Amino acid sequence: MRDLGTGFGYLTKGQRWVAGHGRWLGFGLIPGLITLVLYAAALVGLGFGADDFIAWATPFADDWNSPWLGLFRGFLTVLLFALGLFLAVITFTAVTLLVGQPFYESLSEQVDKSESPDGTAPESGLSLGRELWISARDSLRILVRAMLWAVLLFALGFIPVLGQTVVPAIGFCVTGFFLAQELTSVALQRRRVEVREQLALLRAHRMQIWGFGVPLAVCFLIPFVAVFLMPGAVAGATLMVRDLRRENEPEPQAHPRSQPHPQPQVNPYAGPAQPNPYQQPYAPPPPPSS
């Protein structure tokens, strides 16, 4: 539970950081607004076309009597729209980060500079085109994993009771993990950390990642909230990366006893040491006479 609270703390710290730097808040809203318009149009289109798609996909039910036909296809329509919403939540961050790569890269770099003692930030040394290619490639890999999970959870949703209780909870955990992975990839990519190493790092701190990502996944279900939380989420993910990689800890200093003793200074202009005529060599006393 402590790790869950720690992860949620990074989410709130990130929001406070952008609130204290208003210019970066407005700067980070631009990609989210663009992506929100695209996703809203896609979900509206899905809402209008879901009935026709389900009717086309289930021709075997055309001869069913009422009300079973309506209940069956209505249930599948709701599931289809829920699946589309689930994929929208998972992929929204990836698409927004891809659209806003230059924006969030600058935001994450500014967070690193503000937290670094020397005011510097790690740099990948790659060109913008190369960074966009790596970001698109990594996002596609994560998207494939997320879609596999989405199909699995969609199938498990048909299980009575479990499909309405346990499966949604697992879905939020999966969504939260992938959201955290996408957000931390902004800072980790500048540190030249590959996707496999990123996933290994996050899995080693799974509870903390869930504490950061699951509340964010819940908030992303509310319209327009994702847009306003994205800048702070990127800032919070950068702060979490710094702590996970122990970049905020001071470098250990050597113990004084482990340091070598200073050597005596030798005067190069002095001649060879002369014996002291007043100093006699030590001689042991003679043994007592019997």
Side-chain angles (χ1 to χ4, degrees), residues 6-159:
T6 302
F8 182 75
Y10 287 113
L11 186 59
T12 58
K13 288 178 183 178
Q15 301 303 325
R16 288 200 300 267
W17 191 95
V18 295
H21 301 77
R23 182 173 68 90
W24 290 101
L25 174 60
F27 187 73
L29 289 177
I30 298 175
L33 291 173
I34 297 174
T35 309
L36 178 64
V37 173
L38 297 176
Y39 271 73
L43 289 176
V44 169
L46 178 63
F48 280 105
D51 293 337
D52 296 334
F53 177 80
I54 293 298
W56 171 82
T58 57
F60 56 87
D62 291 339
D63 298 331
W64 290 11
N65 296 325
S66 180
W68 305 113
L69 176 62
L71 291 175
F72 175 71
R73 287 182 172 173
F75 176 71
L76 292 182
T77 301
V78 172
L79 282 181
L80 178 62
F81 190 82
L83 176 62
L85 187 62
F86 178 75
L87 290 177
V89 172
I90 290 179
T91 60
F92 180 87
T93 304
V95 175
T96 304
L97 291 176
L98 184 60
V99 173
Q101 176 71 19
F103 296 87
Y104 296 132
E105 185 75 22
S106 300
L107 173 60
S108 177
E109 184 177 352
Q110 187 63 32
V111 174
D112 270 325
K113 290 181 178 179
S114 66
E115 296 296 319
S116 178
D118 55 0
T120 60
E123 297 181 0
S124 64
L126 303 175
S127 62
L128 178 60
R130 180 64 177 171
E131 288 183 352
L132 289 175
W133 161 250
I134 293 176
S135 178
R137 181 197 64 188
D138 294 346
S139 297
L140 181 60
R141 292 177 178 175
I142 298 300
L143 179 60
V144 171
R145 289 187 174 95
M147 292 190 67
L148 292 176
W149 272 100
V151 172
L152 176 61
L153 294 175
F154 179 76
L156 293 177
F158 290 96
I159 301 176

Side-chain angles (χ1 to χ4, degrees), residues 206-231:
R206 197 185 304 270
M207 297 298 292
Q208 187 169 322
I209 297 304
W210 281 338
F212 179 86
V214 172
L216 196 62
V218 175
C219 293
F220 275 19
L221 294 176
I222 306 174
F224 302 105
V225 171
V227 176
F228 292 98
L229 291 183
M230 274 296 293

